[in-house]
Amino acid sequence: MSTHRYHQHFTVSWDQLHRDVRELCHRLVERDFKGIVAITRGGLIPAALIARELNVRLIDTVCIKSYEGMEQGGLEVMKGVDHDGDGWLLVDDLVDTGKTARKVREMLPKAHFVTVYAKPEGRPLVDQYLTEVAQDCWIQFPWDMGVAYVEPLADQVKR
């Protein structure tokens, strides 16, 4: 996959992410989960917020690497879990092409799988999501951004 496939960008702030996760939790609050399995790295922060909102104390991780920057590469499972997901909530920030989601579904077929954001190719692999984004959209998450000074427009034009 190439960075050339991204024609749109969607920037998610910390506040927006928190609002989106809370909205997703409104859809989950009536369910009772044994625990949460976060898909690292992207699922860590949504999983922590969900754990707080649903008062879930048991959190585990499935560690999978599939991206280097904006390039999707091979899939490397670095850590799994020792159950099939029955009664567990599986959390990720985004389902994109479905490559990671398919692997995690194999590992945890009985888990209830949620993501905050979903793209069309991966959307059928999750049980619930909050917001759909276009397949050619790169989502810029707050943990990948920093605050920086921006020169006033008038000063930029003078150069």
Side-chain angles (χ1 to χ4, degrees), residues 5-139:
R5 73 183 188 128
Y6 301 112
H7 298 95
Q8 303 176 57
H9 289 269
F10 174 43
T11 301
V12 179
S13 68
W14 286 111
D15 288 341
Q16 184 64 52
L17 179 72
H18 199 180
R19 282 191 301 270
D20 288 346
V21 171
R22 289 198 75 203
E23 180 60 34
L24 183 59
C25 287
H26 280 287
R27 301 171 187 193
L28 298 168
V29 73
E30 298 299 322
R31 298 187 60 151
D32 188 29
F33 297 103
K34 292 177 185 176
I36 293 173
V37 176
I39 301 173
T40 67
R41 289 180 310 201
L44 287 170
I45 291 170
L49 295 171
I50 290 169
R52 190 256 181 207
E53 295 299 332
L54 300 183
N55 202 21
V56 175
R57 305 282 179 166
L58 185 58
I59 302 174
D60 201 349
T61 58
V62 169
C63 305
I64 297 181
K65 181 179 178 183
S66 64
Y67 274 90
E68 284 292 336
M70 291 175 72
E71 299 291 329
Q72 192 174 34
L75 199 64
E76 179 185 352
V77 177
M78 301 159 67
K79 177 191 171 290
V81 293
D82 63 354
H83 56 81
D84 63 5
D86 189 29
W88 287 73
L89 180 63
L90 179 60
V91 177
D92 207 354
D93 56 347
L94 164 71
V95 60
D96 190 334
T97 63
K99 190 174 181 180
T100 300
R102 276 184 201 84
K103 183 63 179 176
V104 176
R105 278 286 193 201
E106 286 175 20
M107 297 167 66
L108 298 159
K110 295 184 178 179
H112 185 77
F113 192 178
V114 300
T115 61
V116 185
Y117 307 102
K119 292 185 180 182
E121 287 180 31
R123 186 184 63 232
L125 297 166
V126 298
D127 296 308
Q128 285 181 272
Y129 65 93
L130 182 69
T131 302
E132 184 172 341
V133 296
Q135 196 67 45
D136 69 344
C137 183
W138 179 258
I139 301 177

